[in-house]
């Protein structure tokens, strides 16, 4: 494969990753800006088992936290995080910041270190691939 094709692939790959990272970050931040902030508590975990893959000899487990919070009407809500990690992101009993929708009190997100990490990995990693692709494209030499 010639350098031009490699450069174009790096540019496309980098742009998609970078846009994804920025999108994840902006989506969460916009939700937080338009939400009500409260305190919540991690009340448990939901365990997910991933079956053995071709390169792995053991099953992989991830844990999504379950957290509860009270809305402005003193109604309790219990939510399960959409993402998981191993080990779990927070210990049971940990107090966390929760942001819930002003119009749908059951729609909520919490202050997640994992989402911030994913935003950084996708955003910065994509930017790096994008820059490398641009440099390779600009300085390619047809051989």
């Amino acid at each position: 494969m010639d350098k031009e094709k490699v450069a174009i692939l790096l540019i496309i790959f980098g742009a998609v990753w970078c846009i994804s990272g920025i999108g994840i970050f902006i989506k969460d931040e916009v939700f937080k800006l338009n939400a009500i902030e409260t305190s919540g508590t991690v009340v448990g975990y939901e365990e997910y088992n991933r079956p053995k893959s071709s390169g792995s000899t053991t099953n992989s487990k991830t844990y999504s936290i379950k957290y509860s919070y009270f809305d402005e009407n003193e109604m309790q809500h219990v939510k399960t995080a959409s993402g998981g990690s191993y080990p779990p992101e927070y210990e049971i009993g940990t107090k966390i910041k929760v942001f819930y929708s002003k119009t749908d009190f059951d729609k909520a997100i919490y202050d997640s270190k994992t989402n911030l990490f994913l935003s950084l990995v996708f955003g910065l990693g994509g930017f790096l691939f994008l820059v490398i692709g641009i440099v390779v494209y600009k300085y390619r030499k047809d051989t």
Side-chain angles (χ1 to χ4, degrees):
M1 188 179 278
D2 65 9
K3 287 183 180 180
E4 183 176 6
K5 289 180 183 175
V6 170
I8 291 171
L9 285 174
L10 284 171
I11 291 168
I12 292 169
F13 181 77
V16 169
W17 265 44
C18 192
I19 290 168
S20 296
I22 293 168
I24 291 168
F25 181 77
I26 289 174
K27 180 180 120 320
D28 285 351
E29 292 305 309
V30 167
F31 184 87
K32 289 176 184 179
L33 286 173
N34 296 308
I36 298 169
E37 181 180 336
T38 189
S39 178
T41 306
V42 177
V43 295
Y45 305 121
E46 187 144 329
E47 181 180 301
Y48 296 96
N49 288 315
R50 241 182 19 216
K52 293 179 186 177
S53 63
S54 58
S56 175
T57 57
T58 60
N59 290 342
S60 301
K61 290 184 181 181
T62 59
Y63 299 90
S64 294
I65 67 165
K66 285 186 171 191
Y67 59 97
S68 72
Y69 64 95
F70 289 92
D71 65 29
E72 61 186 20
N73 297 326
E74 300 300 321
M75 295 279 300
Q76 184 178 22
H77 301 266
V78 177
K79 305 289 290 175
T80 302
S82 58
S85 63
Y86 181 83
E89 186 173 17
Y90 294 104
E91 293 182 13
I92 294 174
T94 303
K95 298 288 184 195
I96 57 174
K97 282 185 191 177
V98 176
F99 301 87
Y100 65 90
S101 171
K102 293 176 182 176
T103 56
D104 182 1
F105 295 166
D106 199 41
K107 186 175 181 182
I109 62 173
Y110 65 98
D111 217 9
S112 172
K113 297 181 284 187
T114 303
N115 277 0
L116 183 59
F117 177 73
L118 285 175
S119 296
L120 285 170
V121 167
F122 277 94
L124 294 176
F127 181 74
L128 181 65
F129 280 113
L130 182 63
V131 169
I132 291 169
I134 291 169
V135 168
V136 169
Y137 187 81
K138 184 172 179 166
Y139 295 106
R140 73 190 186 283
K141 292 185 180 173
D142 297 325
T143 54

